[in-house]
Amino acid sequence: MSFYDRVLRLSSCALTVTGLAMATSAFGQDPAATPAPPAVQPAAAAHVRPPRIVRPGVATPGVSRSLVDVQTEAVFPVEGSPDWSVPTKDSVWVASARANHVVQLIPATNKVGLIADVQRPCSGLADGFGAIWVPSCGAHTLLRIDPATGKSIAEIPADASNSEGGITVGAGSVWMVTKPSSLIRIDPKTNAVAATVQLPSGSDNPAFGDGFVWVSSFEHDQLIKVDPASNTIVATIAIGPKPRFLTVGAGSVWTLNQGDGTISRVDMKSGKVVATIACGIPGSGGEITFGAGSVWATMFDFPLTQVDAATNKVVKQWAGQGGDGMRFGFGSIWLSNLRQGNVWRLSPDQK
């Protein structure tokens, strides 16, 4: 799909969202026209113009009233297609499928560290039990990587159900969805599958919270609750259309719904949908994370949308080039810019 076709599609989708105001477009130059920098550089020297803040809840590119540029704390070059990331105790690791590796970013120095070779890393990253867990869509396995060396110390047969699937840790286990749609439970003591839970088709993304595994079902517009005590599904909750990515925070599970660009908030105690938040960011790809009292969502051309967890309202949104993968850690937002070959470290205190 061409750039202009995509802008028209986003504009069309935005008209269905109530209460929308006019947005700001700040599309910068083509990142492919300028090679990635050889080292970390400050935001002022970044080769792609940063996005600009727009009025909350808007997805209408094309209006030229700019407000405030987003401020980056650091820009990390990551070869290939940086996407999935996970914070650990001292680093942030980022997967790049086109370059067949996972890269360590060091927050203390804002420098790139180790590089671990992985054949087409996909379906997220997880940190737990002294290791980085990386699904490989190339080798159809799950790699356990030593974060001290970047070397693989175990390889478990596990074919990710979807390249946009996910992986999580909790209840003393690693959880991953494999083909066709099975949630496997891996014992980190043995590096072997200890249990398997059959899921509805198109259920690919797990997250752990409040003692349960929560899985979004893209095909059935549901959030699935799995009890690790019995390895069974104990609830299915109807949510927004085509939920893909999810995060946990403020006592809730939050899903980014690719069908209409909304975010569904589900209370983990009651299992009830307590809010459906119009963000105007439908489409494929994207990501969602929780930190600093807010939910942060990303989508191509709208790289950052901030939702206040206290009010369930969009308070800021940025339009422009960037976005696709995101995590919160070390007091910062880590935004992977797949098309630009870099990762932005952003302060949550954007003015």
Side-chain angles (χ1 to χ4, degrees), residues 320-333:
Q321 292 187 8
D324 193 41
M326 182 169 55
R327 281 291 180 265
F328 192 93
F330 303 94
S332 302
I333 303 156

Side-chain angles (χ1 to χ4, degrees), residues 26 33 40 45 90 127 180 198 207 224 227 242 246 249 262 281 310 321 347:
V40 176
D90 58 6
D127 170 52
Q198 297 303 320
I224 300 164
D227 186 354
K242 301 188 183 304
L246 69 168
T262 61
I281 48 172
Q321 292 187 8
S347 167

Side-chain angles (χ1 to χ4, degrees), residues 60-85:
T60 311
V63 181
S64 59
R65 273 176 36 202
S66 63
L67 297 177
V68 182
D69 287 348
V70 66
Q71 299 299 310
T72 57
E73 297 177 337
V75 180
F76 298 81
V78 177
E79 181 187 358
S81 53
D83 190 355
W84 304 98
S85 62

Side-chain angles (χ1 to χ4, degrees), residues 44-332:
H47 64 285
V48 175
R49 188 173 61 185
R52 297 177 184 273
I53 193 172
V54 299
R55 294 184 179 182
V58 179
T60 311
V63 181
S64 59
R65 273 176 36 202
S66 63
L67 297 177
V68 182
D69 287 348
V70 66
Q71 299 299 310
T72 57
E73 297 177 337
V75 180
F76 298 81
V78 177
E79 181 187 358
S81 53
D83 190 355
W84 304 98
S85 62
V86 63
T88 69
K89 64 179 181 179
D90 58 6
S91 304
V92 174
W93 293 77
V94 180
S96 180
R98 291 179 186 170
N100 294 307
H101 62 208
V102 178
V103 179
Q104 179 192 33
L105 311 180
I106 304 173
T109 60
N110 283 335
K111 294 186 180 298
V112 175
L114 298 171
I115 296 178
D117 293 330
V118 178
Q119 191 176 352
R120 274 186 61 211
C122 64
S123 296
L125 298 173
D127 170 52
F129 316 106
I132 309 298
W133 302 81
V134 187
S136 166
C137 280
H140 309 291
T141 59
L142 173 62
L143 273 65
R144 179 175 187 166
I145 292 176
D146 182 354
T149 64
K151 302 297 183 183
S152 175
I153 53 179
E155 194 166 351
I156 304 155
D159 196 1
S161 63
N162 191 300
S163 63
E164 288 195 338
I167 184 170
T168 192
V169 298
S173 304
V174 178
W175 304 82
M176 176 182 168
V177 183
T178 58
K179 290 180 179 177
S181 198
S182 302
L183 178 65
I184 61 171
R185 180 176 191 168
I186 297 165
D187 183 348
K189 296 178 181 177
T190 62
N191 293 321
V193 175
T196 301
V197 182
Q198 297 303 320
L199 301 173
S201 59
S203 305
D204 304 309
N205 296 77
F208 192 86
D210 196 35
F212 295 90
V213 182
W214 306 83
V215 187
S216 60
S217 181
F218 180 84
E219 288 188 11
H220 300 278
D221 303 339
Q222 294 175 336
L223 181 65
I224 300 164
K225 182 179 181 180
V226 175
D227 186 354
S230 59
N231 293 317
T232 59
I233 296 173
V234 294
T236 56
I237 303 159
I239 52 176
K242 301 188 183 304
R244 176 73 73 186
F245 305 106
L246 69 168
T247 190
V248 173
S252 303
V253 180
W254 309 73
T255 66
L256 176 57
N257 307 316
Q258 293 179 332
D260 63 359
T262 61
I263 293 175
S264 296
R265 179 177 186 174
V266 177
D267 179 76
M268 287 191 286
K269 294 296 185 186
S270 67
K272 303 293 185 181
V273 177
V274 296
T276 300
I277 304 158
C279 298
I281 48 172
S284 59
E287 181 61 290
I288 187 169
T289 191
F290 186 92
S294 293
V295 173
W296 307 84
T298 183
M299 189 67 71
F300 285 136
D301 303 323
F302 285 87
L304 203 58
T305 297
Q306 180 185 2
V307 176
D308 185 349
T311 63
N312 295 324
K313 294 185 180 298
V314 176
V315 293
K316 291 190 184 76
Q317 188 173 64
W318 286 259
Q321 292 187 8
D324 193 41
M326 182 169 55
R327 281 291 180 265
F328 192 93
F330 303 94
S332 302

